[in-house]
Amino acid sequence: MSYDAIKLATKLLESDEDYLDNVIGLWRIGNNKYEQCWDTEFHVFGVIESDTDHLPLKHVRANCSSEFLAKSDKELAETIEFYRADVISACNTILNQLKNV
């Protein structure tokens, strides 16, 4: 679990590529670690997952219309900007905790 959390948190700090997949990965790790991610360092990932559960993940994008993808990408860009500071903070907290283990 630690390696996956480090990998996903690092990816989110470096790039917005595969953002939803990385967020959902951290949300799942938080849920596995605490049974629920709420009120933990993984909390923001649960919030984002809930807010964006209607947006297509990487593996389903090929099945979506270009119109739907454009609309989804716009919404995702707004989500990324809205949560950017919280995601950076959470990722740094996760990385620091795992570094000190």
Side-chain angles (χ1 to χ4, degrees):
M1 176 175 69
S2 296
Y3 174 76
D4 289 337
I6 289 170
K7 184 173 94 176
L8 294 171
T10 300
K11 282 183 178 182
L12 281 171
L13 289 172
E14 293 175 349
S15 169
D16 294 337
E17 184 177 345
D18 300 330
Y19 184 87
L20 284 180
D21 292 270
N22 295 331
V23 162
I24 289 172
L26 284 167
W27 167 68
R28 287 181 178 147
I29 290 170
N31 283 338
N32 287 335
K33 182 176 181 179
Y34 297 108
E35 296 185 19
Q36 293 185 28
C37 67
W38 310 118
D39 298 321
T40 73
E41 65 274 21
F42 295 91
H43 183 99
V44 71
F45 306 114
V47 173
I48 295 169
E49 187 281 333
S50 179
D51 286 353
T52 62
D53 62 359
H54 59 286
L55 298 179
L57 297 175
K58 184 179 178 178
H59 71 280
V60 298
R61 289 180 63 87
N63 299 319
C64 300
S65 71
S66 57
E67 181 180 307
F68 178 72
L69 289 176
K71 185 178 175 183
S72 296
D73 290 347
K74 181 180 184 295
E75 183 176 344
L76 179 59
E78 292 168 356
T79 299
I80 291 169
E81 286 309 309
F82 184 81
Y83 288 107
R84 186 168 309 278
D86 294 325
V87 167
I88 289 170
S89 178
C91 287
N92 284 325
T93 298
I94 291 165
L95 293 174
N96 287 331
Q97 285 179 351
L98 294 173
K99 189 187 322 180
N100 295 324
V101 171

